Every structure is written in C-alpha cells, then in structure tokens.
Amino acid sequence: MNARQNPLAKLEAFMQRVIESPFNRLFPSKMEPIEITRKLERAMDDNTMLQGEGRRLSPNVYDVYLSMKDHQQIAPGQNALTRDWQNHLVEFARRRHYTLKTVPIIRLHSDTSLRPGMIRIDTEQADQANGLGATQALSPEQLAQIRDQLAQGQMLPGIDGVGSGANHGVQGRGSGAGHQGYAYQGNSGGLAPTVPPTPPQAPPMPQAWLTIRLPQAGQQTYRIEKPLVNIGRQLSNDIIVEDKRVSRYHAQIKYQPDGHFAIFDLGSTNGITINNTPHMRQHILRNGDQFTIGSYDFYFERR
C-alpha cells in the first residue's frame, strides 16, 4: 500500500503558509523565480509517496498558480524558467533518491484569488507508457542528455508537453489547445517530429488587455499575450472565475486571422453578457467593450 511520506514535513509546510500568507498580504513584493524553485522542491518533498522496497515516487506534474500580476511578470521568460525548473527538479530528485517516471511537467496559471507574492502548487502523478524510470538509476551521461534535450526544447519519450515552452494553462487539462506531435520510431526511442498543416498566418498581435473588476477585491489587469485565453471556474483556465454560476470552461478569447479579437461562449449554462446584452454566444471585441461572466466584469482595451 502506498503512503504519504514525512507527515512532519507537511505540518512544517502548513505552518509556513500560515506565517507567510499575512506577511505577503501586508508587504507584497516582486515575485522572484527562486521562490518558485523553493516551492517546487517543497511540493516534491511533501507529495512523494512511499512504495514497496523503500522506493519513493515523486509527482511528475506540477501546476503552479500565481496572482495575475506575478503571472504577467514571469510570462516573458517562462520558456527558459520552465526548463530550468524541470532541470532543477530532476537533480533534486536524484539527490533525494526519489523516483520520477518522467521529467517533471510544470504548468503556470494565473489565479484571481491569489494576491501578489502568493504561490499555490498542485501536484499529480501522471502515468506514462514510456517513463524515464528511477532517477537514482540515471547515469551522469543520461542526466546530461536530459539537460541538453530540455535546453533545445525537445520532447522526451513518454512526456507530453515538456520543453514546449507554451503557456501551460492553455495546454493543460481540458483546454483543448493543440501542440506539435512526435512519432516514435520502433523501440529505439528516436523521435521524428510530425509536420502539421500550415495554418493561415494572422497579423502580429496588437497590445491588448482586460481590466477585471472582482466582486470584493478591487480590480486586476490581465495582458493578452497569446492567441487563446480561456476563462472559467476550472483551475486550468488562464483566468479563473470563482463563481458557481460560471461553467468550468465558460468562454474563450481568440485572436483571429483578420486581426480582431473575438470572444466565444464554450457551451456554458448562463452565457456571457456583452455590452449589457445577456446570453450572448460570440462577439468581435472592440476597444472599450465590456462583458460580464458571473460576478466578474471585464473591460477590453487594445491599441
């Protein structure tokens, strides 16, 4: 039977959260990547499972939730940071003699319920058919090869999305966003990238952002820096709306080939109120448009 390792570490982490949360609310500061690194280490320690013969299996999926402000700050360097964090966790697991089935998958999300300086990390164990096996069994040459592949943005056997550098909130669970696939050649482990059809090229994205008025927490600004932005109650969305009237996957903002942004309802129960018109299912967004999802008001601006 599997059991959680080290309940003392979990108690220590809980006490640290109790102490840190009020401090972060009173003295919000710039989010530093090293803080996320420490939290990832702690998440690995706290969620490692004891298995037979003394093996300790660590989670290989890490969903990192930040405030919208911190997420926007981290986003420009997200590709390089994600590879560094993946590398660091592989080394950390090796030093701790933990088992990893794959190179860790790290996905960043923004959460409107978090204040600047706050971090929440959810972990899970994703089974893959072609895992890497125990990290303690990896030779220095294999570890070096993993680092090289991560640095080059390559995908490893059995790992979906590692090194892609895409925003993980979109490519995470249930988002429906696609990515380039890889075909396996026999049992040699060689990877041959498939060539997807070339989509129509949209013009360069203009500067655009959403000013979001929250029910009891003032307002926040979300810069639109990618062609798909998902909105809903599920934690894997880019913008999380904590309201029972909001569907898990409620709406999506999409940058169109014609140079406009459009908002689409994703089959929600209550639809979207756009410019005071309720139950709308889609709309071409123009500068100054307002829409409401649940108890959140959104103001769209672009240049």
Side-chain angles (χ1 to χ4, degrees):
M1 177 182 293
N2 295 341
R4 292 284 181 191
Q5 182 199 0
N6 199 350
L8 213 80
K10 294 182 69 176
L11 177 60
E12 179 185 351
F14 171 76
M15 294 303 297
Q16 188 163 354
R17 285 194 298 270
V18 169
I19 295 170
E20 285 179 349
S21 294
F23 184 86
N24 287 336
R25 284 196 294 268
L26 290 172
F27 307 104
S29 59
K30 182 178 178 181
M31 173 63 63
E32 298 293 342
I34 188 64
E35 298 177 48
I36 300 177
T37 302
R38 294 187 184 119
K39 297 282 188 180
L40 286 166
E41 290 178 353
R42 188 185 306 164
M44 177 176 278
D45 272 337
D46 291 349
N47 294 283
T48 294
M49 306 285 290
L50 287 175
Q51 295 194 313
E53 299 179 355
R55 292 177 64 231
R56 291 173 290 181
L57 181 64
S58 290
N60 59 348
V61 178
Y62 296 78
D63 286 295
V64 180
Y65 297 90
L66 307 170
S67 71
M68 292 181 67
K69 179 180 178 181
D70 290 336
H71 187 268
Q72 293 288 326
Q73 173 196 319
I74 292 289
Q78 178 176 323
N79 295 8
L81 286 171
T82 298
R83 289 194 293 270
D84 287 345
W85 289 325
Q86 289 168 337
N87 243 336
H88 181 82
L89 285 182
V90 168
E91 290 283 2
F92 186 76
R94 184 185 61 82
R95 293 196 305 269
R96 288 281 209 271
H97 301 292
Y98 294 159
T99 297
L100 275 171
K101 288 188 175 181
T102 66
V103 170
I105 299 169
I106 299 173
R107 305 185 290 212
L108 296 183
H109 313 268
S110 62
D111 187 340
T112 54
S113 68
L114 295 178
R115 297 177 182 270
M118 296 177 67
I119 307 171
R120 188 179 81 254
I121 299 180
D122 294 341
T123 65
E124 66 176 283
Q125 186 60 250
D127 291 327
Q128 300 286 351
N130 299 310
L132 290 176
T135 53
Q136 58 263 39
L138 294 177
S139 68
E141 292 77 14
Q142 288 172 313
L143 284 171
Q145 184 181 11
I146 290 171
R147 293 193 198 96
D148 290 342
Q149 288 174 306
L150 287 174
Q152 295 167 15
Q154 295 178 7
M155 293 171 65
L156 299 177
I159 304 170
D160 182 15
V162 172
S164 66
N167 182 285
H168 298 111
V170 173
Q171 291 197 1
R173 296 163 294 204
S175 66
H179 58 270
Q180 182 173 342
Y182 284 76
Y184 295 94
Q185 298 176 337
N187 296 321
S188 64
L191 297 176
T194 60
V195 180
T198 303
Q201 292 297 317
M205 279 181 53
Q207 293 184 2
W209 59 94
L210 297 170
T211 300
I212 308 171
R213 291 187 179 176
L214 311 177
Q216 296 176 339
Q219 67 181 35
Q220 298 182 15
T221 301
Y222 181 90
R223 295 188 64 83
I224 300 175
E225 297 178 334
K226 56 183 181 175
L228 289 175
V229 175
N230 293 316
I231 305 172
R233 190 161 41 89
Q234 182 71 18
L235 295 180
S236 58
N237 286 287
D238 299 292
I239 300 176
I240 301 167
V241 179
E242 296 184 336
D243 189 319
K244 292 182 178 178
R245 294 171 294 174
V246 175
S247 298
R248 293 168 58 209
Y249 303 101
H250 197 103
Q252 183 180 83
I253 295 175
K254 184 175 182 180
Y255 185 56
Q256 308 279 70
D258 62 5
H260 291 91
F261 290 91
I263 185 169
F264 297 91
D265 181 82
L266 298 179
S268 69
T269 303
N270 296 312
I272 311 167
T273 297
I274 303 176
N275 297 328
N276 298 318
T277 302
H279 306 296
M280 293 193 68
R281 297 297 175 180
Q282 64 182 61
H283 177 74
I284 300 297
L285 290 169
R286 294 175 175 82
N287 192 40
D289 276 353
Q290 171 186 348
F291 61 92
T292 301
I293 296 177
S295 54
Y296 287 50
D297 294 322
F298 297 78
Y299 295 84
F300 175 79
E301 297 177 80
R302 63 169 289 175
R303 291 180 182 173

